Amino acid sequence: MKPVTNRLESLDVLRGFDLFCLVALEGILHPLGRAIDASWYNDFLWGFSHVKWEGFSSWDLVMPLFMFMAGVSMPFALSRYKAMPDKWAVYRRIIKRVVLLWIFGMMCQGNLLGLDPDRIYLYSNTLQAIAMGYLIAAMLFLHVRLSVQIGTAVALLLAYWGAMQFISVDGYGGGNYTPDGNLAEWIDRTVLGRFRDGAVVENGKVVFAEYYRYTWILSSLNFGVTVLTGLFAGHILKSGMEQKRKWQCLLGIGAAMVILGWLWGLQLPVIKKIWTSSMVLVSSGYCFLLMGLFYYWIDYKGHRKNITWLKVYGMNSIVAYMLANVISFRCIGTSLFHGLEQYIGNYYSPLIAASNALIIYVILWLLYKRNIFLKV
């Protein structure tokens, strides 16, 4: 594994920021909230919690940002393949990535490593959403020009909206955007059946968990759009335009998308769990704004001090995600600090969460220092 050079540093740092929030911050702040148990802290935690249904919090941006950045990197990673008449090499690369992300997603949900056939859920994880979005965006990037890519993104947004608004089946759909009545929910229940996350079989009948309202199959159309919006940002960043013009474009496009998304949300609610088209515009707009700000500060202004710790997360993002979701290092913290529980009470749980996050960071730092960057 060779060292990575000539990279877009702002992308590595932004990806690192996203993974730091996902891998470390979330796991510490919520146990800390239970220990503090104060109304002011609970209000603060709203920004680090998902909204129940309609609306959008800052924490709801973590997953779209992860997907968006997969698109940003695409022009840098795949451009050399566009002119090749024989594209089997890149097809194999794409297929390998999609398959590995799908398997890793199942591992993160505990399905494969649980070794329990009753817990096999086929489509239920962020990595699988990235896989679907990446597949759609990569094929478009390799085979059609930018204007067609943009047109396809618009068509997918409208196709999702049209299906949700005008198709009605068994009492679902027809403009119903409630958790129990939307078309995407019906499609997932019908197609995935007992292989949907949270579903169990009782007396020969599939029973769906009341708490689980994420949808994946119809939402895949908009997973593709989310990655495509990152691809469009990547086009700008890789283009020959002046650096100042690049961050201005990113900020301008981001602001326009956010406004347009919230306006569309007056008719098509902004709902992350079913990945509505209005939510795609809102979240991708925020992603454009963040990408523009990070590019302005790091690549344009050249502020590179004290960012290495974020690059440690960002340059091994899949490893960081897998370590956080598949392996628990809490037993190490428990072994080292078990004697403190009697003295610090409710703060013991945040301490163990912090030790788990620290161990993951040390592993990532060791990989970074040795120029080991594991890619899918």
Side-chain angles (χ1 to χ4, degrees), residues 189-295:
R189 290 188 177 200
T190 302
V191 176
L192 296 177
R194 82 156 193 87
F195 297 105
R196 188 187 187 196
D197 202 352
V200 295
V201 179
E202 296 181 358
N203 300 319
K205 183 180 179 181
V206 178
V207 178
F208 298 98
E210 293 184 4
Y211 65 84
Y212 192 83
R213 288 295 180 267
Y214 292 93
T215 62
W216 303 90
I217 296 174
L218 184 60
S219 300
S220 294
L221 299 178
N222 282 343
F223 294 158
V225 179
T226 298
V227 179
L228 278 169
T229 58
L231 171 61
F232 302 150
H235 277 298
I236 294 172
L237 291 167
K238 195 176 185 298
S239 72
M241 70 174 65
E242 294 181 355
Q243 282 190 312
K244 182 178 180 180
R245 182 63 176 158
K246 288 180 181 180
W247 62 261
Q248 288 176 338
C249 283
L250 292 172
L251 295 180
I253 293 171
M257 290 179 71
V258 170
I259 293 170
L260 183 59
W262 282 116
L263 287 175
W264 196 357
L266 297 175
Q267 187 279 321
L268 173 63
V270 175
I271 306 172
K272 175 180 174 288
K273 288 188 175 179
I274 58 176
W275 220 264
T276 58
S277 300
S278 56
M279 193 285 300
V280 172
L281 290 179
V282 169
S283 60
S284 291
Y286 289 140
C287 291
F288 262 92
L289 291 174
L290 282 173
M291 189 72 251
L293 289 172
F294 274 67
Y295 181 80

Side-chain angles (χ1 to χ4, degrees), residues 106-364:
M106 295 185 72
M107 291 171 63
C108 288
Q109 296 303 116
N111 304 331
L112 295 184
L113 300 184
L115 303 179
D116 182 356
D118 291 331
R119 295 182 61 221
I120 296 290
Y121 306 129
L122 296 179
Y123 196 177
S124 58
N125 185 264
T126 298
L127 296 182
Q128 295 166 335
I130 293 175
M132 286 299 298
Y134 178 82
L135 179 63
I136 293 170
M139 290 297 104
L140 289 169
F141 175 73
L142 289 171
H143 293 286
V144 300
R145 61 186 183 275
L146 177 59
S147 60
V148 178
Q149 296 167 20
I150 295 173
T152 302
V154 173
L156 290 174
L157 290 173
L158 293 175
Y160 176 96
W161 168 76
M164 294 286 283
Q165 188 69 28
F166 300 113
I167 297 177
S168 180
V169 184
D170 294 338
Y172 291 83
N176 188 331
Y177 296 102
T178 63
D180 295 307
N182 67 85
L183 180 67
E185 175 76 13
W186 178 84
I187 292 174
D188 274 26
R189 290 188 177 200
T190 302
V191 176
L192 296 177
R194 82 156 193 87
F195 297 105
R196 188 187 187 196
D197 202 352
V200 295
V201 179
E202 296 181 358
N203 300 319
K205 183 180 179 181
V206 178
V207 178
F208 298 98
E210 293 184 4
Y211 65 84
Y212 192 83
R213 288 295 180 267
Y214 292 93
T215 62
W216 303 90
I217 296 174
L218 184 60
S219 300
S220 294
L221 299 178
N222 282 343
F223 294 158
V225 179
T226 298
V227 179
L228 278 169
T229 58
L231 171 61
F232 302 150
H235 277 298
I236 294 172
L237 291 167
K238 195 176 185 298
S239 72
M241 70 174 65
E242 294 181 355
Q243 282 190 312
K244 182 178 180 180
R245 182 63 176 158
K246 288 180 181 180
W247 62 261
Q248 288 176 338
C249 283
L250 292 172
L251 295 180
I253 293 171
M257 290 179 71
V258 170
I259 293 170
L260 183 59
W262 282 116
L263 287 175
W264 196 357
L266 297 175
Q267 187 279 321
L268 173 63
V270 175
I271 306 172
K272 175 180 174 288
K273 288 188 175 179
I274 58 176
W275 220 264
T276 58
S277 300
S278 56
M279 193 285 300
V280 172
L281 290 179
V282 169
S283 60
S284 291
Y286 289 140
C287 291
F288 262 92
L289 291 174
L290 282 173
M291 189 72 251
L293 289 172
F294 274 67
Y295 181 80
Y296 167 81
W297 187 252
I298 297 170
D299 291 305
Y300 180 69
K301 283 295 188 179
H303 296 290
R304 293 181 170 86
K305 282 188 175 181
N306 304 316
I307 62 172
T308 299
W309 67 278
L310 286 173
K311 291 171 69 175
V312 167
Y313 284 103
M315 295 179 72
N316 264 314
S317 57
I318 298 297
V319 177
Y321 188 88
M322 293 297 292
L323 287 174
N325 286 275
V326 176
I327 303 174
S328 175
F329 299 98
R330 292 174 180 269
C331 60
I332 298 176
T334 302
S335 299
L336 292 174
F337 304 119
H338 66 93
L340 294 177
E341 185 173 8
Q342 59 186 317
Y343 300 108
I344 62 177
N346 292 336
Y347 289 92
Y348 180 72
S349 181
L351 174 64
I352 299 304
S355 68
N356 182 73
L358 179 60
I359 291 168
I360 291 174
Y361 178 80
V362 169
I363 294 172
L364 296 172

